[in-house]
């Protein structure tokens, strides 16, 4: 898990990215600002398994970590 998520430049496409698993939804916000994240596992071209998510309110993709 990364100390702080980093932007993910390329938007995953399920049809062109066969090694994409998800979404796994996480949402809430009764104690702070509402949030909704869609988590995915994505195998990149070098074979690394990335843990990424889409931040729906912010409309951006981020890398949360790398699975070893």
């Amino acid at each position: 898990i990364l100390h702080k998520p980093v932007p993910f430049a390329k938007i995953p496409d399920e049809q062109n990215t066969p090694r994409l698993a998800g979404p796994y939804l996480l949402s809430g916000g009764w104690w702070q600002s509402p949030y909704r994240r869609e988590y995915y596992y994505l195998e990149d071209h070098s074979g690394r398994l990335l843990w990424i998510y889409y931040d729906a309110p912010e409309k951006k993709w981020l890398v949360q970590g790398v699975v070893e």
Side-chain angles (χ1 to χ4, degrees):
I1 297 176
L2 302 176
H3 179 67
K4 183 176 179 181
V6 295
F8 188 66
K10 186 177 179 184
I11 298 172
D13 178 356
E14 291 182 30
Q15 293 179 354
N16 296 322
T17 311
R19 303 266 186 186
L20 182 67
Y24 305 99
L25 304 177
L26 179 67
S27 64
W30 61 269
W31 62 93
Q32 62 182 21
S33 301
Y35 65 89
R36 177 183 162 88
R37 293 182 180 173
E38 300 171 7
Y39 280 90
Y40 296 83
Y41 292 102
L42 170 71
E43 185 176 347
D44 69 7
H45 293 293
S46 64
R48 295 181 309 162
L49 187 57
L50 304 176
W51 186 31
I52 63 172
Y53 69 90
Y54 180 68
D55 185 330
E58 297 291 324
K59 296 181 175 61
K60 61 184 177 181
W61 287 92
L62 295 117
V63 177
Q64 182 73 61
V66 179
V67 179
E68 295 182 1

